[in-house]
Amino acid sequence: MSDHAVLHVKGRVLVGPDDVRDELWVVGGRVTYDRPVGTAAGDIRTVQGWALPGLVDAHCHVGLDGHGPVDAATAEKQALTDREIGALLIRDAGSPSDTRWIDDREDLPKIIRAGRHIARTRRYIRNYAHEIEPEGLVAYVAQEARRGDGWVKLVGDWIDRDAGDLTACWPRGAVEAAIAEAHRLGARVTAHCFAEDSLRDLVEAGIDCVEHATGLTEETIPLFAERGVAIVPTLVNIATFPDLAAGGEAKFPRWSDHMRRLYDRRYDTVRAAYDAGVPVYAGTDAGGSLAHGLVAAEVAELTLAGIPAVDALSATTWGAREWLGRPGLVEGAPADLVVYEADPRADVRVLAAPRRVVLNGRVVG
């Protein structure tokens, strides 16, 4: 941990939304609230400010760019960019790259993988997914459940070129069998969904999460709330919909109009889901066409949608870590934390300028 045996974080430590402490210590790379005994002053490094658990980007793609898988050097740069903004835990929501080597790097964010996307044939971005037909869905879900870290990623809808618009990718029976198989293997299932049509079938089939979820309506939001199905809105990605719509206008006017309507109601959709009790988490969809390091911007977007600042913070800290089964700033946990100059509960824009980033007990930024 730099040249010091012990790190002392002073100021306000936001252990939880209602649990604020004056200090914590990092000894042996782990959090403790007991002052270490017998440590010389010269062996202690002190950092002051407002401390949060390391941020979570709950929808990110390390090892992927707009053309498909990338080499290890590029994946490393992506992970370092996320680290610089304080995103120290990433749920990789689908990647064709093998990034297991990152697990051996204590200086890079921790990754929870969902294996490779599973899509319908010619119904997703080229070079990203396993492209299959419904009869193969259960087998591929089982394969990716074993390959991932407790998650599987489906592409629930995409443009159907014959229909000229977004349509559901999978028949109900195939989805039910696939989700049941994932659950049997101990994995949760999430799905990319922009439009309305696939949502009821996916939720009633037992899905655990939906990415983007721009197609939520007053009919499906209560179903999500009742079943406890989470959403990761990726609002920084939804901001690209107008440009996408303009690019497809000539060939697919129905799709373009649909994308604009989904964009126009994006904040209302997220706020309605939040108000109904649907769990909402922060994710950027970095990788592909979007840059890494956008989690602070995503949290700010959640507040623009009307989610209170503390709950928007929870969507990238306390709540997100609990949802993913990873500890925050509790006694004995790995010391992954970010320190800011001001209280992020008062203004989430503070997240864009971390004072210090601590990963596995080491000051890395």
Side-chain angles (χ1 to χ4, degrees), residues 79-143:
L80 287 170
T81 300
D82 290 318
R83 189 191 77 179
E84 287 171 6
I85 199 65
L88 305 183
L89 178 61
I90 290 169
R91 186 180 65 138
D92 192 325
S95 176
S97 295
D98 181 359
T99 59
R100 287 288 172 191
W101 57 270
I102 290 177
D103 295 347
D104 298 325
R105 291 277 300 272
E106 291 197 352
D107 61 326
L108 295 179
K110 298 173 174 71
I111 298 182
I112 297 171
R113 298 168 184 82
R116 187 173 186 175
H117 303 77
I118 303 172
R120 194 75 179 263
T121 307
R122 298 189 67 243
R123 295 284 301 279
Y124 200 48
I125 304 166
R126 187 178 299 175
N127 299 324
Y128 276 32
H130 295 298
E131 296 189 13
I132 63 169
E133 289 304 293
E135 57 269 22
L137 186 58
V138 170
Y140 272 88
V141 163
Q143 171 184 295

Side-chain angles (χ1 to χ4, degrees), residues 169-358:
C169 290
W170 309 103
R172 169 73 172 264
V175 168
E176 287 179 339
I179 292 174
E181 178 66 3
H183 289 170
R184 185 185 72 81
L185 294 170
R188 290 185 276 182
V189 182
T190 192
H192 160 107
C193 295
F194 285 159
E196 299 85 353
D197 294 348
S198 64
L199 295 178
R200 179 173 291 276
D201 279 354
L202 287 169
V203 173
E204 291 182 346
I207 204 158
D208 302 284
C209 180
V210 169
E211 313 298 316
H212 317 301
T214 41
L216 281 170
T217 65
E218 61 184 12
E219 287 78 28
T220 50
I221 285 172
L223 186 61
F224 272 63
E226 175 188 332
R227 304 290 181 95
V229 177
I231 65 170
V232 183
T234 67
L235 288 167
V236 292
N237 178 37
I238 307 311
T240 69
F241 277 19
D243 287 342
L244 294 174
E249 184 90 55
K251 194 170 183 180
F252 300 113
R254 286 181 58 200
W255 173 83
S256 294
D257 179 65
H258 197 174
M259 294 290 279
R260 289 192 184 97
R261 285 185 280 112
L262 294 171
Y263 169 80
D264 287 343
R265 70 177 197 243
R266 68 199 186 284
Y267 290 150
D268 291 340
T269 299
V270 172
R271 180 56 193 252
Y274 167 82
D275 286 344
V278 175
V280 179
Y281 299 105
T284 64
D285 208 0
S289 62
L290 284 186
H292 284 256
L294 296 177
V295 71
E298 180 64 20
V299 175
E301 281 286 297
L302 292 177
T303 65
L304 291 176
I307 295 181
V310 170
D311 289 342
L313 285 176
S314 185
T316 191
T317 56
W318 318 293
R321 284 179 170 272
E322 181 179 5
W323 178 56
L324 293 172
R326 298 299 175 93
L329 298 179
V330 297
E331 184 74 28
D336 298 342
L337 58 100
V338 193
V339 181
Y340 302 94
E341 292 189 4
D343 186 353
R345 298 172 301 176
D347 185 349
V348 299
R349 291 175 296 181
V350 168
L351 299 184
R355 173 182 280 180
R356 289 287 181 266
V357 177
V358 179

